[in-house]
């Protein structure tokens, strides 16, 4: 049996702000359990809902030197769907209403603590990982600390590390002196071939330099991040490490996202009966959101963090024009105020066509995936994207920009050979986006049989973890040797 420990800042079902949590929570279940025991370690945030916190059992605790103090570290454990989770507890570090405070210094301090505590806790678990699999900048210090102070110890000797990039935009950067002070790492680590980048200390860079292997969440994004536009200043390092870098496309949990069994939706449906059943969900959602009740009107969904990454500048620019068409637009998201207000404005201006739901709700997200006809995701960049995979699974055809994982997972409609599972456009340009939406409208209104055949293909596409989990297994085998 090979032991793998995921170390991450979020995981479903305990805590989620985006796709990272979906991946960390679903991949361990899909790795072949005959050969691999994959466990997960995350912080015990005080904002984890009570009923989930109640599942955790206290294991042990100790004190650890960190940032000039002696800090408490509690370890708790829980088992969900056969996967063992460990939690690192310290209420002063993981308090607050959200996992990330948004204050970079505080977050760096918090996750430096988490990274060091995670390693310090490992010898106290009855589980010695062969591979520590780290996710995003919050755990970038794990491979660094592993090399710097833990690998000398017998327990850690030979343990390998992997760094997975879910989003290169976020790196955990702050001035060198503060980070030196927080982490206690010696000067030697703060040079441009290690943690330093453009005069700052950079936690993700540390992880990318010291991890034994690097992955990211789609093949296209793996190529993109080696170029200056997508590289966020680290493209040189990624080119230098390209032999250790692989792109493995994400999957989604086919049990949680299953239109045939989904408890959140009013009318369940399958590839066999979606033609009759799916539309009933649309009818209900129109009623619930106060939109014009009309089966025929094309409904376009958006479920997203409202940030510039997701292409909302294009949408803002085209909303007025798009609202002249016979469409309805249903948005669910939270994030930057300018985008929240933009959608509120159009909801007010076109109240029977636009529904802006500016909040977070798992239930509403499932209703939107199930009820809409199309799903819009015109991202500026997209490491993988899970929403379009969820949309495909629910037979809601994605309209996407050809970047990162969107390019790898949505097959654009080709009317000549009748292939494809969605619609796409190449350039980050509002007119191109509108043209793609209008092309989709045309097929939806004028060629319904073609549209339904696309739904057949979309629902048949397999983005479960089956294929990608095997690629992670191959990497673990290769690392462990
Ligand atoms: P990212 O991780 O960049 O936010 P992904 O497409 O990989 O993008 O994953 C987003 C995940 O978060 C999906 O599971 C999506 O359904 C969910 N999500 C985003 N915003 C909301 C919201 N307001 N309410 C519920 N779920 C949301
Ligand atoms: C990040 C990316 C998203 C990806 C997710 C899970 O949040 O923005 O594209 O799907 O991580 O890997």
């Amino acid at each position: 049996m090979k032991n793998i420990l995921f170390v991450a800042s979020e995981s479903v079902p305990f805590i989620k702000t985006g796709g990272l949590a979906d991946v960390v929570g679903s991949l361990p279940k899909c790795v072949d359990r005959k050969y691999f025991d994959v466990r997960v370690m995350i912080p015990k945030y005080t904002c984890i809902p009570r009923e989930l916190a109640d599942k955790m059992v206290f294991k042990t605790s100790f004190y650890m030197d960190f940032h000039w103090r002696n800090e408490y570290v509690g370890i708790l454990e829980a088992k969900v769907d056969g996967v063992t989770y460990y939690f690192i507890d310290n209420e002063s570090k993981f308090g607050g209403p959200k996992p990330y405070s948004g204050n970079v210094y505080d977050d760096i301090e918090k996750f430096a603590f988490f990274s060091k505590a995670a390693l310090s806790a490992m010898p106290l678990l009855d589980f010695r990982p062969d591979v520590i699999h780290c996710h995003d900048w919050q755990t970038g210090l794990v491979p660094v600390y592993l090399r710097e102070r833990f690998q000398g110890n017998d327990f850690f000797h030979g343990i390998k590390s992997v760094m997975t990039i879910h989003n290169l935009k976020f790196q955990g950067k702050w001035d060198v002196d503060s980070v030196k002070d927080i982490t206690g790492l010696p000067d030697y680590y703060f040079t441009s071939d290690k943690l330093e980048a453009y005069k700052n200390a950079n936690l993700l860079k540390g992880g990318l330099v010291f991890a034994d292997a690097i992955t990211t969440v789609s093949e296209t994004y793996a190529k993109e991040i080696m170029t200056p536009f997508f590289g966020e200043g680290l493209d040189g390092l990624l080119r230098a490490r390209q032999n250790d870098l692989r792109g493995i496309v994400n999957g989604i949990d086919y049990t949680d996202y299953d239109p045939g069994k989904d408890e959140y939706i009013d009318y369940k449906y399958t590839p066999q009966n979606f033609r009759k059943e799916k539309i009933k969900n649309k009818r209900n959602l129109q009623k619930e959101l106060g939109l014009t009740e009309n089966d025929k009107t094309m409904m376009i969904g958006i479920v997203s963090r409202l940030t510039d990454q997701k292409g909302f500048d294009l949408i803002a620019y085209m909303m007025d024009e798009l609202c002249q068409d016979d469409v309805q637009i249903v948005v669910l998201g939270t994030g930057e105020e300018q985008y929240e207000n933009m959608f509120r404005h159009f909801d007010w201006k076109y109240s029977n066509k636009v529904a802006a739901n500016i909040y977070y709700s798992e239930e509403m997200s499932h209703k939107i995936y199930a009820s809409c006809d199309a799903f819009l995701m015109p991202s500026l960049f997209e490491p993988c994207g899970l929403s379009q995979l969820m949309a495909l699974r629910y037979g809601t055809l994605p309209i996407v920009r050809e970047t990162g994982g969107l390019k790898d997972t949505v097959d654009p409609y080709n009317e000549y050979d009748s292939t494809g599972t969605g619609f796409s456009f190449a350039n980050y340009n509002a007119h191109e986006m509108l043209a793609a939406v209008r092309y989709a409208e045309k097929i939806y209104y004028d060629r319904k049989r073609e549209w339904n055949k696309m739904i057949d293909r979309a629902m048949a596409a397999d983005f479960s973890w089956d294929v990608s989990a095997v690629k992670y297994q191959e990497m673990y085998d290769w690392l462990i040797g």
Side-chain angles (χ1 to χ4, degrees), residues 19-20 23 166-167 217 250 305 309-310 382-386:
L20 169 64
V23 173
H166 295 264
N167 195 334
V217 288
N250 286 331
R305 290 184 293 118
Q309 170 189 340
K310 302 291 178 179
E382 197 60 75
C384 178
L386 301 175

Side-chain angles (χ1 to χ4, degrees), residues 347-366:
D347 181 326
W348 165 79
K349 190 165 175 188
Y350 303 99
S351 59
N352 52 2
K353 285 192 147 181
V354 178
N357 304 284
I358 309 300
Y359 54 83
Y360 188 93
S361 158
E362 209 59 51
E363 175 170 352
M364 183 51 87
S365 74
H366 284 240

Side-chain angles (χ1 to χ4, degrees), residues 178-232:
S178 308
V179 174
K180 222 183 265 180
D181 195 52
I182 293 172
T183 58
L185 289 165
D187 291 350
Y188 165 81
Y189 278 85
F190 294 89
T191 54
S192 61
D193 59 338
K194 300 190 190 69
L195 261 72
E196 192 265 339
Y198 310 97
K199 304 265 182 295
N200 277 322
N202 183 317
L203 272 55
L204 180 65
K205 185 177 178 197
L208 296 176
V209 169
F210 286 99
D212 296 292
I214 302 171
T215 75
T216 188
V217 288
S218 68
E219 279 182 29
T220 295
Y221 194 58
K223 290 194 200 104
E224 287 172 341
I225 55 179
M226 289 192 274
T227 67
F229 180 80
F230 294 96
E232 302 287 345

Side-chain angles (χ1 to χ4, degrees), residues 134-145:
C134 310
H135 298 266
D136 271 356
W137 76 264
Q138 293 89 348
T139 54
L141 284 174
V142 171
V144 182
Y145 277 132

Side-chain angles (χ1 to χ4, degrees), residues 246-463:
R246 14 186 131 193
I248 305 177
V249 73
N250 286 331
I252 55 171
D253 190 319
Y254 265 35
T255 316
D256 289 350
Y257 294 92
D258 178 357
K261 300 210 177 81
D262 193 326
E263 291 305 323
Y264 290 132
I265 66 176
D266 298 331
Y267 296 94
K268 302 179 202 340
Y269 58 93
T270 61
Q272 289 71 42
N273 69 10
F274 77 84
R275 284 172 175 77
K276 273 176 52 200
E277 296 303 310
K278 183 171 164 51
I279 200 157
K280 297 180 183 168
N281 290 303
K282 174 156 102 178
R283 230 173 259 162
N284 276 13
L285 193 64
Q286 285 172 334
K287 193 177 291 168
E288 180 178 346
L289 299 177
L291 299 168
T292 306
E293 290 173 41
N294 183 343
D295 282 1
K296 294 218 165 69
T297 308
M298 177 168 162
M299 186 190 266
I300 303 175
I302 296 173
V303 177
S304 184
R305 290 184 293 118
L306 302 179
T307 75
D308 55 359
Q309 170 189 340
K310 302 291 178 179
F312 290 111
D313 292 329
L314 304 188
I315 295 178
Y317 193 72
M318 280 298 155
M319 268 306 263
D320 264 317
E321 210 169 320
L322 185 55
C323 288
Q324 308 313 310
D325 296 2
D326 189 14
V327 295
Q328 293 177 339
I329 299 164
V330 176
V331 181
L332 174 66
T334 59
E336 289 168 30
E337 216 173 289
Q338 52 165 326
Y339 301 124
E340 293 189 346
N341 289 337
M342 181 269 288
F343 283 119
R344 286 191 184 108
H345 166 78
F346 287 109
D347 181 326
W348 165 79
K349 190 165 175 188
Y350 303 99
S351 59
N352 52 2
K353 285 192 147 181
V354 178
N357 304 284
I358 309 300
Y359 54 83
Y360 188 93
S361 158
E362 209 59 51
E363 175 170 352
M364 183 51 87
S365 74
H366 284 240
K367 284 187 178 174
I368 293 176
Y369 292 125
S371 309
C372 290
D373 299 294
F375 189 85
L376 182 59
M377 204 165 165
S379 304
L380 173 61
F381 70 94
E382 197 60 75
C384 178
L386 301 175
S387 295
Q388 83 281 11
L389 303 182
M390 294 161 184
L392 285 168
R393 174 89 165 133
Y394 284 77
T396 299
L397 303 182
I399 304 171
V400 303
R401 190 170 92 82
E402 292 154 19
T403 184
L406 297 174
K407 189 169 172 191
D408 295 351
T409 57
V410 177
D411 182 19
Y413 177 55
N414 180 323
E415 60 186 37
Y416 303 102
D417 25 319
S418 200
T419 57
T421 55
F423 302 86
S424 68
F425 61 100
N427 296 302
Y428 192 72
N429 173 301
H431 294 278
E432 273 194 38
M433 179 194 75
L434 187 64
V437 175
R438 289 200 164 146
Y439 181 45
E441 286 174 34
K442 191 167 143 275
I443 307 301
Y444 175 83
Y445 284 112
D446 302 344
R447 305 182 67 184
K448 207 37 171 287
R449 271 172 56 86
E450 279 292 288
W451 184 272
N452 282 337
K453 283 200 268 172
M454 280 178 87
I455 299 183
D456 285 331
R457 292 191 292 270
M459 291 184 81
D462 184 1
F463 289 103

